[in-house]
């Protein structure tokens, strides 16, 4: 799936974080959530899964975007 196919819920999209790769939350066409952030190694997740860290402010912004 290409980034262009996702609905960006956070960030202003101006790329000021460098290469437009700031921590963000996206919604897919099917309604699931994709989270982008710094890779974390706090524990080893099950095979096929990964861990990322995102700032609390990004998660709060996503919650507001959903209207929760």
């Amino acid at each position: 799936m290409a980034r262009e196919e996702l609905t960006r819920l956070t960030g202003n999209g101006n790329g000021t974080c460098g290469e437009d790769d700031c921590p963000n939350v996206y919604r897919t066409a099917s309604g699931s959530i994709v989270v982008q952030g710094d890779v974390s190694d706090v524990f080893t997740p099950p095979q096929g899964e990964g861990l990322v860290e995102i700032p609390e402010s990004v998660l709060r912004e996503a919650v507001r975007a959903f209207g929760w």
Side-chain angles (χ1 to χ4, degrees), residues 43-59:
F43 67 88
T44 302
Q47 186 173 356
E49 297 182 6
L51 303 174
V52 298
E53 292 185 38
I54 61 169
E56 181 180 332
S57 60
V58 172
L59 188 55

Side-chain angles (χ1 to χ4, degrees), residues 6-54:
L6 303 171
T7 301
R8 187 178 188 151
L9 300 175
T10 60
N12 58 16
N14 67 8
T16 58
C17 292
E19 303 305 315
D20 197 21
D21 60 354
C22 306
N24 279 295
V25 178
Y26 301 87
R27 185 185 327 196
T28 67
S30 65
S32 60
I33 304 301
V34 175
V35 178
Q36 177 185 2
D38 294 326
V39 175
S40 175
D41 61 1
V42 296
F43 67 88
T44 302
Q47 186 173 356
E49 297 182 6
L51 303 174
V52 298
E53 292 185 38
I54 61 169

Side-chain angles (χ1 to χ4, degrees), residues 1-6:
M1 176 178 311
R3 182 183 285 187
E4 296 77 29
E5 298 176 61
L6 303 171

